Amino acid sequence: MSVLLQARDLVRLYRLRRGIFGRAVELRAVDGLSLTLQRGRTLGLVGESGCGKSTTGRLVLGLEAPDAGQVQVDGAPMPPIGGRAWRQQRARMQMVFQDPLGALDRRLSIGAQVEEPLIIHGLPAGPARVAELLMEAGLRPDHAQRYPHELSGGQRQRAVLARALATAPELLVCDEPISALDVSIQAQVMNLLMELQARRGMAMLFISHDLRAVRQVSHRIAVMYLGRIVEEGEPDEVLKTPAHPYARALVSAIPHPGRRGRRILLTGDPPNPADRPSGCAFHPRCAEAVARCRTEAPVLRPRPDGRLVACHLAHAPLLSQVA
């Protein structure tokens, strides 16, 4: 399959001031992140809250400009934000937000909001086209006359999805799209996303902290920690035999009746992105850390099994076996 989107060495800084008269500090929300997304495939991005997943989604869509690095679509750099070329590019890339009620305008009917991107981008609009999009997202045509507060949470998320599909996007970025929904509705929305991908051939970046959901929809999984990807590979490999200590801790927290072994409890809180630890950012919470981990930051690189892992200890045993 051909590559649709490639991000290279993305960095996103937020400059904050501590207190009224405090000094300014830099918070590195995304720190040298690279990823590749093929057409018609799904990359699941997982990690703790605050690790930079949502910021990555906004960078990929061109909603924010990186402080360093580059996003390429079909091999061409993302156009500058706000220009005509950027607006044309945005029609090809859409986002499904975590909170559907917050993503919808409570003053406008669902039909008006689904039709809005069609009008903005000069595409065929009208009640018939709106009805088609609503039905494709699992709603009825009469839902076009309703307002967001008149719909259930699952219906609102379907309305958000119908609006996102209006421009026939090639990439859909789903930022925690099911976390605000009931468990029974979560499965319906995930099945709908997979059906739409199969029918339309869209690529998806599926951002979530729910590993079970990510496993269901993803062709590859990337585990993110403090602004960097620490492990990436096929879902079965990453979730059955995680190589990075942080990935192992995440996987151990998944409830499973047949699982043997104890849950790995991480000590302490994630480090402050404005004050990153030296060496490997995970070493203060890692029970396996050695002296090298405290001084030398590991690089995300391939192992013989094809996975990408950023951990000194994850590479050393395998490299010695290959040698």
Side-chain angles (χ1 to χ4, degrees), residues 53-63 90-98 103 157 159-165 167 169 171-177 193 205 207:
K53 303 187 302 297
S54 295
T55 302
T56 299
R58 293 193 294 272
L59 291 173
V60 161
L61 284 175
L63 298 178
R90 289 286 295 114
R92 303 172 58 193
M93 308 161 71
Q94 296 293 327
M95 193 166 195
V96 178
F97 297 91
Q98 176 179 358
Q157 193 62 292
V160 170
L161 186 55
R163 184 177 63 182
L165 295 173
T167 59
L171 170 64
L172 206 60
V173 175
C174 303
D175 188 7
E176 300 279 6
L193 285 170
L205 178 63
I207 299 170

Side-chain angles (χ1 to χ4, degrees), residues 139-309:
L139 295 174
R140 299 189 308 272
D142 63 274
H143 281 117
Q145 309 305 319
R146 300 189 185 183
Y147 287 80
H149 70 275
E150 298 177 301
L151 303 183
S152 67
Q155 289 173 333
R156 285 194 288 263
Q157 193 62 292
R158 290 173 184 270
V160 170
L161 186 55
R163 184 177 63 182
L165 295 173
T167 59
E170 299 170 54
L171 170 64
L172 206 60
V173 175
C174 303
D175 188 7
E176 300 279 6
I178 62 171
S179 62
L181 305 178
D182 294 338
V183 175
S184 59
I185 306 300
Q186 289 180 359
Q188 296 176 18
V189 171
M190 288 176 60
N191 288 334
L192 175 61
L193 285 170
M194 290 188 291
E195 291 171 6
L196 289 169
Q197 183 180 48
R199 187 184 313 139
R200 287 178 169 243
M202 300 181 300
M204 286 199 298
L205 178 63
F206 191 91
I207 299 170
S208 179
H209 64 273
D210 187 337
L211 286 172
R212 290 176 296 180
V214 170
R215 181 177 191 171
Q216 181 177 343
V217 302
S218 302
H219 299 95
R220 284 183 71 83
I221 291 179
V223 181
M224 194 170 180
Y225 184 79
L226 206 64
R228 296 177 179 175
I229 292 177
V230 297
E231 182 167 353
E232 181 182 338
E234 301 295 324
D236 285 343
E237 292 179 342
V238 173
L239 298 182
K240 287 184 178 179
T241 58
H244 194 281
Y246 175 63
R248 285 201 291 273
L250 291 183
V251 172
S252 74
I254 302 175
H256 195 291
R259 185 188 304 282
R260 294 183 178 182
R262 296 178 300 172
R263 177 177 176 180
I264 301 173
L265 298 177
L266 298 177
T267 58
D269 296 321
N272 184 350
D275 186 20
R276 295 180 61 91
S278 60
C280 174
F282 185 63
H283 88 257
R285 307 173 73 191
C286 181
E288 305 173 32
V290 296
R292 183 184 180 188
C293 302
R294 299 179 179 88
T295 59
E296 181 183 344
V299 177
L300 186 69
R301 54 196 176 97
R303 302 199 322 169
D305 60 5
R307 255 184 290 183
L308 301 173
V309 185

